[in-house]
Amino acid sequence: MIKKVFYSKKAAPYVFILPFVLTVALFWIGPIVNGVLLSFQNVLQDEWTGLHNYKRLFTDAIFYKAVLNSVKYMIGTLILLIPFPLLFATLLNSKLMKHPNVYKSIYFIPALTSVVVAGTVFRLMFGESDQALMNQVIGFFGHAPIRWLRRGDTAYFALLLLCCWRWTGVNIMYFLAGIQAIPTDLYEAAEIDGASKWQQFKSITVPLVKPTTVYVLTISIYAGLSMFLESFMLWKGNNSPNNIGLTIVGYLYRQGIEKRNMGYACAVGIVLLVMVMIVNLVQLKLTGTFDKEDE
């Protein structure tokens, strides 16, 4: 009987996808369902509280601060980590670039670095002492030392710089793969017609690399809204001054792990999940991804 099932042409596809289905059910669907149930409870007192956690959440000023920080961070990463990696990937793919593999390796090395190590290094770089690297840099131009991680604007700059340092190389590789899939005949025909490099980039590269752009945009939205460890390491904990570095996941961690209020933390997590889904569905609609599938 078992042999008949494994050798059946109808059953074989289901057997092959069974590990994936089980993985999704155990590690994705199961935790989400459990999280939804816990979000309606007071876990410490083991009682059902209905919408109490959500009502409290939407009147929580610190939660709104965390949402604002995460959204600002996400927008900054989208502005920096899509156009610039696309330009760098185009340069790496051009004939003018010598030894492109060397540059690929250099760009990708930060992604292999532990976030813990990178966050610690950046915390030292943006330290308050006169000897901290960034204070030495601005001191060279005659500026007084800055308490970088105690001000909202400079702290935001430090977070974005850390993010760009880590993930620019990864996005370059994504875009490079998309660019190299474009037939070279198109560029040769455009060159014969007298199109400049900029015109080729604007009229050939950008439109044909759109699937890669949509993918990078999707994962960047998720990564931006779910960022936690970078902020945690930059401030050496989850308590930044006036919560200037607090993110949604950081607030979830504070409520669930530090305060052991798991029901409230689950409510934060469910709201984050809904936010990510809504933002990504909107961007997929705006980029025409759904319309293309319908066709």
Side-chain angles (χ1 to χ4, degrees):
M1 179 65 180
I2 296 177
K3 186 176 180 181
K4 197 177 277 188
V5 170
F6 276 99
Y7 281 90
S8 170
K9 291 184 178 179
K10 291 183 179 179
Y14 298 100
V15 173
F16 280 116
I17 67 170
L18 184 61
F20 172 76
V21 172
L22 290 176
T23 302
V24 171
L26 289 173
F27 298 105
W28 199 77
I29 297 177
I32 287 179
V33 173
N34 190 46
V36 171
L37 294 175
L38 287 175
S39 70
F40 295 104
Q41 301 176 41
N42 184 328
V43 179
L44 292 176
Q45 298 180 7
D46 193 21
E47 63 178 3
W48 189 267
T49 59
L51 295 173
H52 174 74
N53 286 327
Y54 291 96
K55 290 178 180 177
R56 176 188 165 190
L57 185 66
F58 290 115
T59 57
D60 191 336
I62 299 178
F63 171 71
Y64 284 110
K65 176 76 172 180
V67 171
L68 179 62
N69 289 340
S70 295
V71 171
K72 281 173 57 181
Y73 176 81
M74 178 198 70
I75 293 172
T77 58
L78 294 181
I79 292 173
L80 296 173
L81 287 178
I82 291 181
F84 290 107
L86 177 57
L87 289 172
F88 294 151
T90 304
L91 290 173
L92 282 174
N93 195 55
S94 67
K95 296 178 181 178
L96 298 175
M97 182 63 67
K98 295 181 179 179
H99 310 295
N101 290 331
V102 175
Y103 290 101
K104 291 178 190 176
S105 301
I106 293 172
Y107 280 130
F108 199 76
I109 286 174
L112 303 176
T113 307
S114 166
V115 182
V116 175
V117 175
T120 303
V121 171
F122 271 75
R123 184 173 69 248
L124 295 174
M125 285 173 53
F126 287 92
E128 298 181 10
S129 71
D130 297 350
Q131 302 305 314
L133 178 61
M134 295 305 296
N135 277 334
Q136 289 189 46
V137 171
I138 64 173
F140 179 78
F141 296 99
H143 199 288
I146 294 176
R147 304 175 78 180
W148 296 88
L149 301 181
R150 292 182 178 272
R151 292 169 42 179
D153 53 349
T154 53
Y156 181 62
F157 170 74
L159 268 177
L160 285 182
L161 188 64
L162 173 56
C163 176
C164 291
W165 178 81
R166 274 188 57 81
W167 299 115
T168 297
V170 176
N171 287 358
I172 287 174
M173 295 304 157
Y174 287 139
F175 282 118
L176 193 60
I179 291 171
Q180 290 177 345
I182 300 173
T184 55
D185 298 349
L186 297 175
Y187 292 102
E188 292 172 358
E191 195 169 352
I192 291 172
D193 289 340
S196 65
K197 293 295 182 183
W198 170 248
Q199 290 172 325
Q200 292 176 36
F201 174 77
K202 185 175 66 173
S203 303
I204 298 176
T205 304
V206 173
L208 294 184
V209 86
K210 181 181 175 181
T212 305
T213 305
V214 172
Y215 172 74
V216 173
L217 184 60
T218 302
I219 62 174
S220 296
I221 289 172
Y222 165 75
L225 289 176
S226 63
M227 186 273 288
F228 166 64
L229 192 53
E230 289 88 343
S231 173
F232 188 89
M233 292 309 304
L234 200 59
W235 275 277
K236 202 177 180 180
N238 199 31
N239 295 306
S240 54
N242 296 319
N243 294 311
I244 58 176
L246 183 66
T247 64
I248 303 176
V249 179
Y251 191 58
L252 186 156
Y253 178 88
R254 177 183 293 177
Q255 294 295 330
I257 305 299
E258 296 176 354
K259 296 185 177 181
R260 300 181 182 275
N261 192 351
M262 194 58 67
Y264 190 60
C266 286
V268 175
I270 297 303
V271 171
L272 172 60
L273 175 63
V274 172
M275 282 180 59
V276 171
M277 290 181 64
I278 290 174
V279 174
N280 266 319
L281 288 173
V282 169
Q283 71 89 5
L284 288 172
K285 182 64 177 178
L286 292 176
T287 54
T289 304
F290 289 149
D291 297 336
K292 189 175 181 181
E293 289 178 356
D294 293 338
E295 294 174 2

